[in-house]
Amino acid sequence: MEIVEKHVENYIKEHIPTKDSFFCEMEQYAKEYYVPIISPESLRFLETILLLHKPKKILEIGTAIGYSALNFCRILKGDCTVTTYERNQKRYDTAKAFITRSEYSNNIDVVYSDATEGIDLGDAIYDMAFIDAGKSQYQFFFDQIYPHIKKGGILVSDNVLFRGEVCQKSELDVTKRNRTIYRRMNNYLSFLMTENNRFHTSLIPIGDGMAVTIKMEDEMTLR
């Protein structure tokens, strides 16, 4: 199931400028080895957010091959640092190799760790966080990360509509193996979209669905 009609998606992609050969190589690697990376239209949308917000410190859950982290640095012309978590050894090694070859090797810290077992962020505070990892764990990731986002900071959750299955009326309409994701992601989105004074969220039907959350609280919530 497509989130956006294919001809509309293709039209948008056709109008996105071509990246340099290094990023094209990463895209080809991802395609060849079936590594999920952020879609071109979602990345273009994030580029707008990054240019408006200009975050200095970014946290990412789900490095994959380092494609998003490197693009964040490219968009911000290296005026940022990215801390990114990856639990898959092969993807971690591949990300490290790509990052080492890039001009942003000093901007990105790749942490080999399973974020589903907990994220030790110490007293670090971030301007922006990007969640693109295990879909059934998004609420857990949010709860771990949220206290470390500054007021006015942004938390982006990618792929939240999960090929449209999250939008089905009942979990019985969803592929059996994805029903846990259906339940947990629907609970997560209901939580994000609840009116409150802590944060404000918009759900964007782009790529595979993206939720953009702005922290509204006056004070940090670190304990």
Side-chain angles (χ1 to χ4, degrees):
M1 181 183 297
E2 300 293 338
I3 304 301
V4 178
E5 290 191 29
K6 202 67 182 177
H7 73 284
V8 176
E9 180 182 308
N10 289 336
Y11 181 84
I12 294 171
K13 287 179 178 178
E14 288 169 4
H15 287 78
I16 296 174
T18 303
K19 301 180 193 68
D20 64 29
S21 59
F22 179 74
F23 286 101
C24 289
E25 179 188 344
M26 294 189 76
E27 291 167 6
Q28 183 57 41
Y29 179 96
K31 182 178 181 180
E32 182 176 349
Y33 292 97
Y34 304 99
V35 179
I37 59 174
I38 189 169
S39 68
E41 62 273 28
S42 294
L43 179 59
R44 187 68 173 182
F45 176 71
L46 266 187
E47 185 167 346
T48 302
I49 291 177
L50 288 161
L51 291 173
L52 286 170
H53 189 58
K54 294 182 169 49
K56 298 291 186 181
K57 291 184 66 176
I58 301 172
L59 174 66
E60 178 185 45
I61 307 300
T63 312
I65 60 172
Y67 183 76
S68 295
L70 282 165
N71 269 290
F72 297 161
C73 293
R74 171 187 63 82
I75 292 162
L76 294 168
K77 301 186 185 304
D79 190 19
C80 66
T81 59
V82 181
T83 302
T84 178
Y85 283 72
E86 177 55 53
R87 68 177 181 177
N88 180 285
Q89 181 72 63
K90 183 175 182 180
R91 291 182 182 179
Y92 168 83
D93 292 339
T94 303
K96 291 283 286 185
F98 274 122
I99 290 166
T100 299
R101 287 175 50 201
S102 78
E103 61 183 295
Y104 305 114
S105 57
N106 294 325
N107 299 77
I108 303 173
D109 179 23
V110 187
V111 181
Y112 179 53
S113 177
D114 187 349
T116 65
E117 296 178 356
I119 309 166
D120 183 9
L121 300 175
D123 293 328
I125 298 296
Y126 295 90
D127 303 304
M128 176 178 166
F130 182 61
I131 301 176
D132 187 14
K135 304 301 174 285
S136 63
Q137 300 294 326
Y138 273 31
Q139 182 71 63
F140 177 76
F141 296 147
F142 182 97
D143 293 342
Q144 298 276 303
I145 293 168
Y146 184 79
H148 296 268
I149 302 294
K150 73 173 188 180
K151 180 190 176 184
I154 296 174
L155 192 152
V156 177
S157 308
D158 199 19
N159 302 319
V160 293
L161 299 182
F162 196 63
R163 299 191 293 273
E165 294 210 353
V166 168
C167 306
Q168 298 291 351
K169 292 185 179 298
S170 166
E171 69 176 69
L172 297 179
D173 298 322
V174 175
T175 309
K176 190 172 182 179
R177 67 177 180 275
N178 293 330
R179 288 177 184 174
T180 297
I181 293 175
Y182 171 87
R183 289 193 301 272
R184 293 186 179 180
M185 189 63 82
N186 265 290
N187 288 338
Y188 177 59
L189 294 177
S190 294
F191 163 76
L192 289 183
M193 298 299 289
T194 300
E195 279 296 320
N196 63 81
N197 295 321
R198 297 175 61 209
F199 53 81
H200 174 84
T201 300
S202 289
L203 188 55
I204 314 297
I206 191 170
D208 202 17
M210 184 177 286
V212 180
T213 301
I214 302 174
K215 185 169 183 176
M216 308 294 289
E217 292 178 313
D218 290 330
E219 297 180 0
M220 303 303 178
T221 54
L222 288 175
R223 298 294 192 271

